Amino acid sequence: MYNGHHFGGMHFFWWIFWIVLLIWVFATPYNFLGQRTKKETSLDILKKRFAKGEITKEEFEEKKKFLEDN
């Protein structure tokens, strides 16, 4: 029995489903859907470089001071 209304019954459910899905996909600008990852700050990257031995303690402290001042 088709009465000319497409938005009733299960059609309404599917419209809501797709709208919620699209909002979820575009409202979470992260690497993978549902997985929120913390973005690294400049200081975090600097600490990792120091921990790996890529920069000396003096370079670390100089760059850290620069980052904190700006």
Side-chain angles (χ1 to χ4, degrees):
M1 298 269 168
Y2 175 71
N3 61 2
H5 298 285
H6 289 285
F7 296 105
M10 284 301 286
H11 289 286
F12 181 72
F13 168 78
W14 285 112
W15 275 103
I16 298 298
F17 172 79
W18 287 113
I19 290 170
V20 169
L21 182 68
L22 288 173
I23 290 171
W24 179 54
V25 167
F26 292 109
T28 55
Y30 299 99
N31 296 336
F32 298 103
L33 300 175
Q35 294 182 352
R36 297 181 180 222
T37 55
K38 178 184 170 194
K39 299 207 178 212
E40 284 187 318
T41 64
S42 301
L43 189 57
D44 293 334
I45 295 169
L46 185 63
K47 288 177 182 178
K48 283 184 180 181
R49 289 187 64 200
F50 178 63
K52 290 180 182 178
E54 295 176 1
I55 58 175
T56 65
K57 182 177 181 181
E58 292 79 22
E59 289 175 311
F60 172 77
E61 290 175 358
E62 176 185 328
K63 292 175 190 227
K64 180 180 174 187
K65 183 178 180 198
F66 177 78
L67 289 173
E68 289 173 347
D69 290 342
N70 291 325

